[in-house]
Amino acid sequence: MGDPALTDYVLALQTVGANDVEIVGGKNASLGEMISNLSNAGVSVPGGFATTADAYREFLENSGLNQRIHDLLDELDVEDVNALADAGAKIRSWIMDQPFQPELEQAIQTAFSALQDGNDNLAVAVRSSATAEDLPDASFAGQQETFLNIRGFDNVIHAVKEVFASLFNDRAIAYRVHQGFDHRLVALSAGIQRMVRSETGAAGVLFTLDTESGFRDVVFITGAYGLGETVVQGAVNPDEFYVHKPTLEAKRPAILRRNLGSKAIKMVYGAEACAGRSVDTVDVDEADRLRFCITDAEVEELSRQALIIERHYGRPMDVEWARDGDDGQLYIVQARPETVKSRSHAATMERYLLKERGSVLVEGRSIGQRIGSGPVKIINDLSQMDRVQPGDVLVTDMTDPDWEPIMKRASAIVTDRGGRTCHAAIIARELGIPAVVGCGDATDKLSDGQPVTVSCAEGDTGLIYEGQLSFDIRKNSVDSMPELPFKIMMNVGNPDRAFDFQAIPNEGVGLARLEFIINRMIGVHPKALLNYEALPADIKANVDSRIAGYPDPVEFYVEKLVEGVSTIAAAFAPKKVIVRLSDFKSNEYANLVGGRLYEPEEENPMLGFRGASRYISDSFRDCFALECRAMKRVRDEMGLTNVELMVPFVRTVGEAKRVVELLEEQGLKRGENGLRLIMMCELPANALLAEQFLEYFDGFSIGSNDMTQLTLGLDRDSGIIAHLFDERNEAVKALLANAIAACKKADKYIGICGQGPSDHPDLAKWLMEQGIDTVSLNPDSVMETWFYLADKELA
C-alpha cells in the first residue's frame, strides 16, 4: 500500500502484529500478524491500515465526551432494555456530532491516499477492532460495526466515525457488563482494508474445529454468494463443508461432508458508495442456489490456509474468508481465536436426552446439543424485546447481536434464517442456549404462547416439538474409566452425531449401518438413480431436488455414501470402524424415492430379499457395485483404512463364498490394503456352521436381534408376541457360545453389535465371561454399561 508515514494516529497493517492488541485492537493486530508472518506461507490477506487506540482515546478525552459517556454508563442498568437503548442512542449521537481532531483526519487521508495508489475509485471495508475483542477468553464477535464498499475520503472519515460510535451499541454495552469488562478499559481502532470483490464471488466463515462438538480434527466451512456479511449476520442459509485435517495433510481428498444451503439472497455493491452501508441485497438466481458456492478444490485450499493460521496461533481459530470474483483468489479477511468450544471441559460429558416424543412442528440446523422448552415468543423487531421473559422460547426471522441483552433470558432460540456460524449461533453457544437456525418458516408455523420443546440433542437437525416434553441431563466424568477385560465399541449410524459420540470413551465403532446413511442422506433408491433418464416426471423432479450440487445422479449416490462413512471413520480414526453393507428389506427399499418401481412385494420382507442374497442377485448387483465404489473411495483414495466391511444376513456357505468373490471383483479384496471382512453372525446356521463360514471371513459380529427372532421363531416386528423376545434365552445363548468358541479356536475376531447388551447389562456381563473381544453398544448406554460391568467385575 506504499509507505504512509507512521504516526500516533495511523499504522499500516503490515507494521503491527499479535502483540499490538492494545494499540490497534484484536482484529487489526491479527490481520497485521498474518500479513507479516503468513503471507509467504500461503495465507492471502488484503492490505490496509488502522487507526490507533490512542487516537480514539484522545478524540474522546479532548472533546470532553469521555466524562459525559461514563457518567451516563455508571448509572445505567443494562437489564432495563429501554434505558439501555436510550443511553446507547444518546452516546452514539454525541460521537457522530463531534468532529475528529485535525491530526487524526490528516493521518487517515495520507494513509488512504497511499492505499488508493492512484485508484480514486478503490473500495474499502471499514471495520471495528476493539482492544478487548477477539481474545481467547471472550468473543466480541459482531459487537461493533462493519461498513463495506466505502469509496472516497469523506465517506471513509464518516465510516470511521460510525465505527467509533459503535463501541456504544446497545449490544456492546450490555455484552461488556455481562463479561465483566470495564467500559473505560476498552478502546477502538478502525481498520481500513482493501475490499475483496466477493460480491461477484463468494464469502463466509470457517472454524478450525467442529463448532457443535469441539472435535479438533476438522475444518468447518460455511459460505454463500456475495459479501460475507449475509453469512455472518445469519441472513442466509449457507453451504457447509467439513474437511478432515489429517487426510488433507496427507494430500488426499479430504472433504467429509457437503450440505447445500438455500443461499436465497446475496449482498452486492450498491450503486452509490455513500457514507453509510453502500451495499444492496438481491436475490440469487435459481441455478446458482442449486450449486455449491465454491468448488471442492477451493474448499481444500481454504482449509490449508486455515491450518497454517491455526498452527501459527497454536489454538482453534474463527476465520472470515472471501473469494474475489474478479481474480478468482481466496483471501482471509479476519481471524480470531475460537472462544466457546475450545474452553469447554472435555473431562465431564453432559448429555441431554428426551424422555418422550411429540409432533415435530418445525426443523432447522441445531446449535448447542442441548434441549430447552417454554412458551413461544415471536418477536419481529427490537421494539418488542421487553416481551421476552425468562424461560421463553425466542422465535424470530433472524437474531442478530443487537438482541444479546434478551437472548440470555430465553430457554431456546429459533430463527427462520441463518447458518451454524452466524452471530446468533455464536452468541447462543456462548450463552449455553440451544438454538435452531435456518428453519425457513418457524415464525409462520409457531404461535405466540404455544408451549414447545426445542431439541438440539439429536444431530445436525434441530427439532421443535409440540408441547413441553420431559428430558434428562446426564453428566459423567470420563477422566478415569475402570478397566474391563474386553473392548467397548459403539453402534453409530448417524454421521451427524459422529463428532459428538467420539468423545465418549470407546474402542471404535462396532456397527455403522449403511442403510441409515442411505435413508437420511440420500433418500432415493439406487436403481432410480442408475435409471434416472427413464424415471416418471414426478419422481425425476423429486430426484432433481435431492441431487442438487452434485454432477450426476449416480455420483450423488456414491459421494453421499462416501461422506457418511468417511465422517464416521474420520471421527474415530485411527480406531476401527466396522461398516455394515446395506441391509434394507424390500419394503424399506420400496419406501425410498422411486423404490416401488423396482422392489418386489413380499409377504414377510424380514425373511426375504435382503443381505448377501441381494448383493449377488442379477437384479441388484449394479446397485451393490455403487456401495463398493464408495467404500473403495473411502479406503483407497481418502486413506481411511480403519474402515472394515461387514456382510449381513449370509444364509449359506455358498453365499459367503460368492459375496467375497464379488467384493474382490469390485476392488475390495480381503487382506489387501489391510482390509478385514467381517460377517454378521445372525442366523442359527451361522453359529452352527461357524467354522465353515469363518473360512471366508476375518471374524464374526453377532446380530442378536435376528439371531433371537430366528432361533425362537418369532417376528420381532410383531407386537402380539413381543413379550417373548429376549436375547438372554438359553437357546440363543447356546448359539452365541458356539460362535464365540469357533472364533476363539480360529483366532479370529468376535464381537457383538446387536441391541441385547445395550438393553441388558447382564447379557453384556455373560458375553464378557464367554471371552468375547468387543461389545458394541448404543452411545446412550456406554457409560452406564461400562460402570455396571466394572462394578460386577470388582465385586
Side-chain angles (χ1 to χ4, degrees), residues 220-260:
F220 174 50
I221 299 172
T222 63
Y225 297 114
L227 304 178
E229 287 299 291
T230 56
V231 178
V232 172
Q233 294 169 356
V236 69
N237 297 337
D239 295 335
E240 296 179 351
F241 309 89
Y242 288 92
V243 178
H244 189 223
K245 294 177 185 176
T247 302
L248 185 73
E249 291 173 318
K251 295 181 169 55
R252 292 177 177 270
I255 299 175
L256 300 177
R257 299 284 295 280
R258 302 170 186 84
N259 292 314
L260 188 72

Side-chain angles (χ1 to χ4, degrees), residues 376-380 384 387 393 395-396 442-443 446-448:
V376 166
K377 283 292 172 65
I378 298 176
I379 304 297
N380 296 314
Q384 301 173 315
R387 292 185 57 238
V393 173
V395 179
T396 186
T443 52
L446 301 178
S447 304
D448 219 56

Side-chain angles (χ1 to χ4, degrees), residues 237-363:
N237 297 337
D239 295 335
E240 296 179 351
F241 309 89
Y242 288 92
V243 178
H244 189 223
K245 294 177 185 176
T247 302
L248 185 73
E249 291 173 318
K251 295 181 169 55
R252 292 177 177 270
I255 299 175
L256 300 177
R257 299 284 295 280
R258 302 170 186 84
N259 292 314
L260 188 72
S262 56
K263 306 183 298 295
I265 58 172
K266 64 178 177 178
M267 188 178 285
V268 298
Y269 289 174
E272 294 291 330
C274 61
R277 294 181 179 275
S278 6
V279 293
D280 291 329
T281 300
V282 299
D283 291 339
V284 173
D285 291 341
E286 185 66 26
D288 286 336
R289 296 184 197 186
L290 299 177
R291 285 192 289 264
F292 288 107
C293 66
I294 51 176
T295 65
D296 284 2
E298 288 168 335
V299 169
E300 294 192 344
E301 173 56 29
L302 273 176
S303 299
R304 279 188 283 270
Q305 293 199 38
L307 289 186
I308 294 168
I309 295 168
E310 181 180 56
R311 277 195 294 269
H312 180 76
Y313 283 92
R315 63 186 322 115
M317 297 295 289
D318 166 358
V319 177
E320 292 183 27
W321 62 270
R323 177 169 63 81
D324 193 305
D326 291 353
D327 66 18
Q329 297 299 305
L330 293 164
Y331 294 92
I332 303 301
V333 295
Q334 195 179 130
R336 63 172 74 89
E338 193 278 340
T339 59
V340 179
K341 278 298 174 182
S342 53
R343 284 191 290 168
S344 61
H345 183 51
T348 301
M349 290 203 58
E350 183 180 74
R351 289 176 297 144
Y352 282 65
L353 301 169
L354 272 179
K355 295 171 67 176
E356 54 183 331
R357 287 287 190 274
S359 300
V360 175
L361 302 173
V362 181
E363 58 183 59

Side-chain angles (χ1 to χ4, degrees), residues 59 95-96 98-100 156-165:
F59 166 64
I95 292 173
M96 293 306 298
Q98 183 68 38
F100 280 146
V156 168
I157 287 292
H158 187 92
V160 172
K161 185 81 66 71
E162 292 271 16
V163 162
F164 281 12

Side-chain angles (χ1 to χ4, degrees), residues 36 300 339 359 500 738 774:
S36 304
E300 294 192 344
T339 59
S359 300
D500 183 24
N738 196 62
T774 70

Side-chain angles (χ1 to χ4, degrees), residues 13-14 30-47 301 305 308-309 312 330-332:
L13 285 178
Q14 69 263 30
S30 180
L31 289 170
E33 179 76 10
M34 290 189 291
I35 292 172
S36 304
N37 295 285
L38 302 182
S39 295
N40 292 334
V43 176
S44 300
V45 181
E301 173 56 29
Q305 293 199 38
I308 294 168
I309 295 168
H312 180 76
L330 293 164
Y331 294 92
I332 303 301

